[in-house]
């Protein structure tokens, strides 16, 4: 949707949506229904020819017979994944989105354009899939640009999350999978709530959509109902999550992209140890894992938050932020230029720019 909005106002273009095959496809149909866009079933979409196809994942893209643009759906290309061979042996870990596993079929590079967030990703792509270099372009990071554009809305985001002026907001974030915070430390949210005095702290949770829709929204709400009753601000998957990071005074997280964006937002970060094995050390997430202080369960949490905040300074995560994008503030402009070039259309005369995100809202378990 960070890309689709760049085309929405052009009367020459009809945008349609489809739901590609994916093990975590739950919730996508409902999302598209809420958007109110025209939706084609996947089996119909793959039989048609389009002027352009845009995807932030790779399932089924070999079935597409139209110019294809692929882009990352996190903080750049950061996740390492293992490849299982036919005999059960595990091949070396590749970076999801930069390896031939996703990008090449039958000796041909599938995408017409591969969107990169940073120039350093060109070097990583050259090592893992050199044949894809001719179609790779450094465009930037839409989330980072919206993060910067939203900074002035911090008071509004804090009000939306119920954070009084005399309280600090602690955002706990988890990606998905067995090595994630939620996968390894499911009781952490209850521990955080028990550790922190309510008169001083407000605790919010941001969970990866694969947690919500892999287990089911009903199940996640059930698991966390007691936490919500105890004061947890639970941001649902359909709400805008970025505002919570802008509002945060502290971020407690794992190796997921949201933790990286929390660091870029300027918040002090406590990283849950043992979750960074899936992260490419050359990515922004890898840089964060190398320098962020670790959460300890044998010490009072309030003391840890205070110590990290006291030693925090604006430049602490400058290298992490710099690795997120080498085109800060230019994603919308660069991306629209790429899209219209591939469609062979002149661009509209307006200059696109990142806008502040809407305020987040909370889920209820009643």
């Amino acid at each position: 949707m960070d890309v689709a909005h760049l085309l929405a106002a052009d009367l020459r273009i009809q945008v349609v949506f489809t739901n590609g095959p994916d093990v975590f496809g739950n919730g996508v149909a409902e999302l598209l229904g809420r958007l109110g866009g025209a939706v084609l079933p996947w089996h119909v979409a793959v039989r048609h020819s389009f002027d352009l196809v845009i995807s932030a994942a790779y399932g089924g893209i070999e079935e597409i017979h139209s110019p294809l643009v692929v882009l990352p759906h996190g903080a750049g290309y950061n996740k390492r994944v293992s490849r299982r061979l036919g005999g059960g042996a595990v091949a070396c870990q590749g970076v999801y989105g930069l390896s031939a596993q996703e990008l090449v079929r039958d000796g041909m590079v599938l995408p017409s354009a591969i969107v990169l967030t940073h120039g350093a990703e060109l070097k990583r792509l050259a090592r893992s899939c050199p044949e894809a270099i001719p179609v790779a372009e450094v465009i930037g990071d839409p989330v980072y640009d919206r993060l910067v554009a939203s900074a002035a809305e911090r008071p509004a985001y804090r009000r939306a999350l119920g954070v009084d002026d005399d309280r600090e907001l602690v955002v706990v974030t988890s990606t998905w999978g067995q090595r994630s915070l939620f996968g390894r430390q499911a009781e952490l949210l209850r521990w955080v709530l028990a550790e922190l005095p309510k008169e001083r702290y407000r605790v919010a949770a941001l969970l990866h959509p694969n947690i919500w829709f892999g287990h089911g929204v009903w199940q996640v709400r059930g698991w966390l109902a007691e936490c919500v009753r105890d004061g947890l601000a639970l941001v649902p998957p359909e709400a805008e999550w970025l505002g919570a990071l802008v509002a945060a005074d502290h971020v407690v997280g794992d190796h997921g992209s949201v933790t990286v964006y929390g660091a870029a937002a300027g918040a002090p970060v406590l990283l849950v140890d043992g979750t960074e094995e899936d992260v490419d050390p050359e990515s922004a997430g890898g840089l964060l894992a190398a320098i962020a202080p670790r959460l300890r369960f044998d010490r009072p949490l309030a003391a840890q938050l205070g110590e990290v905040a006291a030693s925090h300074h604006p430049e602490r995560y400058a290298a992490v932020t710099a690795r997120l994008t080498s085109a800060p503030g230019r994603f919308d402009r660069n991306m629209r230029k790429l899209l219209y070039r591939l469609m062979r259309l002149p661009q509209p005369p307006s200059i696109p720019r990142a806008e502040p995100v809407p305020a987040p809202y909370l889920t209820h378990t009643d």
Side-chain angles (χ1 to χ4, degrees):
M1 296 310 300
D2 288 327
V3 176
H5 84 93
L6 297 172
L7 307 173
D10 195 327
L11 291 170
R12 298 169 296 173
I13 297 172
Q14 167 70 59
V15 177
V16 299
F17 298 90
T18 190
N19 182 2
D22 194 278
V23 67
F24 289 105
N26 287 342
V28 177
E30 290 79 4
L31 170 65
L32 296 179
R34 287 194 300 271
L35 291 175
V39 180
L40 290 179
W42 178 254
H43 71 274
V44 174
V46 296
R47 293 204 304 264
H48 282 260
S49 177
F50 299 91
D51 295 291
L52 192 65
V53 175
I54 303 165
S55 179
Y58 303 89
I61 62 171
E62 69 278 1
E63 300 180 57
I64 294 170
H65 305 290
S66 305
L68 170 67
V69 178
V70 294
L71 64 155
H73 58 253
Y77 297 92
N78 56 25
K79 186 175 183 180
R80 295 193 300 185
V81 291
S82 298
R83 313 297 183 194
R84 289 203 170 271
L85 304 178
V90 179
C92 62
Q93 289 187 313
V95 177
Y96 182 75
L98 295 182
S99 68
Q101 180 84 6
E102 290 89 28
L103 300 174
V104 177
R105 295 290 188 281
D106 299 325
M108 294 190 63
V109 177
L110 296 174
S112 303
I114 300 168
V115 171
L116 305 180
T117 62
H118 197 283
E121 291 173 343
L122 279 170
K123 297 179 181 178
R124 296 160 66 199
L125 181 63
R127 293 197 303 266
S128 60
C129 189
E131 57 269 50
I133 286 293
V135 298
E137 298 201 30
V138 178
I139 301 295
D141 186 323
V143 178
Y144 177 78
D145 290 354
R146 297 193 79 190
L147 188 68
V148 173
S150 302
E153 302 299 317
R154 176 178 162 89
Y157 299 151
R158 290 173 69 85
R159 287 194 299 270
L161 293 168
V163 183
D164 303 327
D165 292 340
D166 56 350
R167 288 206 291 177
E168 299 175 31
L169 177 63
V170 179
V171 173
V172 181
T173 175
S174 177
T175 188
W176 65 283
Q178 293 182 342
R179 286 199 282 263
S180 68
L181 182 154
F182 198 75
R184 291 167 58 97
Q185 304 284 351
E187 297 293 324
L188 183 136
L189 285 170
R190 293 181 183 178
W191 179 75
V192 171
L193 290 166
E195 281 277 311
L196 299 178
K198 292 180 176 57
E199 64 274 11
R200 182 177 174 186
Y201 296 96
R202 172 77 156 152
V203 180
L206 297 176
L207 304 180
H208 194 286
N210 284 0
I211 296 175
W212 284 99
F213 296 106
H215 297 290
V217 172
W218 174 86
Q219 181 66 81
V220 174
R221 285 178 173 170
W223 281 338
L224 298 180
E226 182 179 334
C227 291
V228 172
R229 288 192 291 268
D230 200 30
L232 177 68
L234 181 60
V235 180
E238 66 272 14
E240 178 53 68
W241 53 272
L242 201 53
L245 295 182
V246 176
D249 297 293
H250 311 272
V251 171
V252 177
D254 57 14
H255 62 277
S257 293
V258 177
T259 310
V260 180
Y261 289 123
V269 172
L270 270 175
L271 204 63
V272 176
D273 208 2
T275 68
E276 67 276 8
E277 298 175 26
D278 293 334
V279 178
D280 184 350
E282 296 186 55
S283 68
L287 295 181
L288 179 64
I291 61 176
R294 271 23 182 200
L295 176 67
R296 292 181 54 178
F297 293 94
D298 60 345
R299 295 190 57 214
L301 178 57
Q304 295 183 67
L305 295 177
E307 290 169 5
V308 173
S311 64
H312 188 69
H313 53 86
E315 296 302 311
R316 181 168 195 166
Y317 299 125
V320 176
T321 302
R323 184 56 59 88
L324 274 173
T325 175
S326 53
R330 297 191 61 86
F331 176 86
D332 282 3
R333 194 176 302 187
N334 291 343
M335 190 71 195
R336 195 180 73 173
K337 181 179 179 180
L338 170 64
L339 300 178
Y340 277 80
R341 190 185 79 221
L342 291 172
M343 291 187 293
R344 299 178 181 177
L345 285 176
Q347 290 191 68
S350 61
I351 299 176
R353 64 177 184 178
E355 299 289 343
V357 299
Y361 55 89
L362 305 179
T363 192
H364 300 283
T365 59
D366 301 336

